[in-house]
Amino acid sequence: RGGALVTGAARRIGLRIAERLASAGYDIALHGSPASAAEAEAAAAWLGAQHAVRSAAVTADLADPSAAAGLLVTASASA
């Protein structure tokens, strides 16, 4: 199907969006802030196992323009 990068996907609405995409067969890169990196890793592992898709957690502080720009490159390589 393809892949999706979901920002804020470590919890709440972002995680639900990522779950919906994974259930439709999309590979998922879950973005989390550096503070929520552990939650994003756990969510990526759970989504991959639950929906048989490739999933990976990527972290970046989106307040930093260079980190935000690198997020797409990192996500593309990860999921």
Side-chain angles (χ1 to χ4, degrees):
R1 271 211 173 205
L5 166 63
V6 181
T7 59
R11 57 188 127 152
R12 296 189 296 267
I13 294 171
L15 179 55
R16 298 300 164 242
I17 292 168
E19 183 178 9
R20 179 66 183 233
L21 290 167
S23 72
Y26 288 89
D27 294 329
I28 304 293
L30 293 94
H31 161 263
S33 69
S36 63
E39 289 174 287
E41 289 285 343
W46 179 80
L47 283 176
Q50 188 74 19
H51 299 287
V53 297
R54 292 186 325 159
S55 61
V58 294
T59 58
D61 179 357
L62 297 183
D64 175 358
S66 63
L71 182 61
L72 290 174
V73 173
T74 303
S76 295
S78 298

